[in-house]
Amino acid sequence: MPVHAGPAQAPLLRELVEHRVPPDVHLVVDQPTGYALWGLDPLPAPALVVTFNPYPLYLLDLFERKPAGLLVEPKSLSEISTALDIVATGRRVGTPPTAPFDLPTRRERQVLRLLAQGFCSDAIARRLGVKRDTVYSYYRALREKLGAESQHELVLTYLGWIRPDPPA
């Protein structure tokens, strides 16, 4: 079946859009936020990812998964249907975002992704093969670059639940 979503959303989404999804395209609905990043591994191909999280770093991480299309905050089922048709013809949908702030390094983004997945500092350090103090250094750099006050705010920002003003 070409429709993929988190367990709570799957029945409704199947009912709403299954008849509109071309048989050779996968529709991946990023609900709950993060499902398209770590809920499906590997991401099916070709896939149109629909997300409601417009945060630039999150979108960059989605683009790194190389979907055939990425649709951010669609306004209607018609918009999704049009994007599916474009992907079905082999064309791409969406462009990588530009960030209005100093981009974190690849490693900082990796730390942020793991933090957003719920890993504690010790677990992040083990996964990355670094010391816990190094992880704390990444947190400091991320807070500075993203204008967040805490690790919690980093996660909420990354998931698109809050939008702090990045430093000038």
Side-chain angles (χ1 to χ4, degrees):
M1 173 170 299
V3 177
H4 304 270
Q9 290 75 25
L12 173 64
L13 292 170
R14 280 189 188 106
E15 184 179 322
L16 288 173
V17 298
E18 188 174 46
H19 66 280
R20 295 180 186 218
V21 179
D24 55 341
V25 176
H26 296 268
L27 173 62
V28 178
V29 180
D30 187 39
Q31 286 294 317
T33 298
Y35 179 74
L37 279 179
W38 48 78
L40 282 176
D41 196 25
L43 191 63
L48 172 67
V49 175
V50 175
T51 187
F52 298 90
N53 181 354
Y55 191 63
L57 292 182
Y58 186 81
L59 296 176
L60 284 173
D61 287 343
L62 284 176
F63 267 98
E64 283 185 358
R65 300 237 29 221
K66 298 186 182 352
L70 180 59
L71 193 56
V72 182
E73 296 181 316
K75 306 295 184 250
S76 67
L77 285 176
S78 173
E79 186 178 352
I80 296 171
S81 182
T82 299
L84 285 165
D85 291 340
I86 292 170
V87 169
T89 65
R91 294 179 290 156
R92 295 219 169 272
V93 173
T95 57
T98 56
F101 47 81
D102 183 21
L103 275 179
T105 66
R106 185 176 210 70
R107 187 64 139 192
E108 289 167 348
R109 286 180 36 226
Q110 189 177 20
V111 167
L112 184 56
R113 261 193 318 273
L114 291 169
L115 184 64
Q117 289 179 51
F119 288 94
C120 69
S121 301
D122 288 333
I124 292 171
R126 280 192 304 276
R127 274 193 152 214
L128 301 180
V130 299
K131 294 181 180 182
R132 185 175 50 180
D133 288 345
T134 303
V135 172
Y136 290 140
S137 294
Y138 288 130
Y139 292 157
R140 277 192 299 280
L142 284 164
R143 285 193 309 269
E144 194 174 292
K145 288 178 180 180
L146 305 180
E149 298 289 325
S150 66
Q151 292 171 23
H152 299 288
E153 197 170 294
L154 283 172
V155 170
L156 294 173
T157 300
Y158 180 76
L159 295 176
W161 296 345
I162 63 171
R163 297 183 187 170
D165 294 325

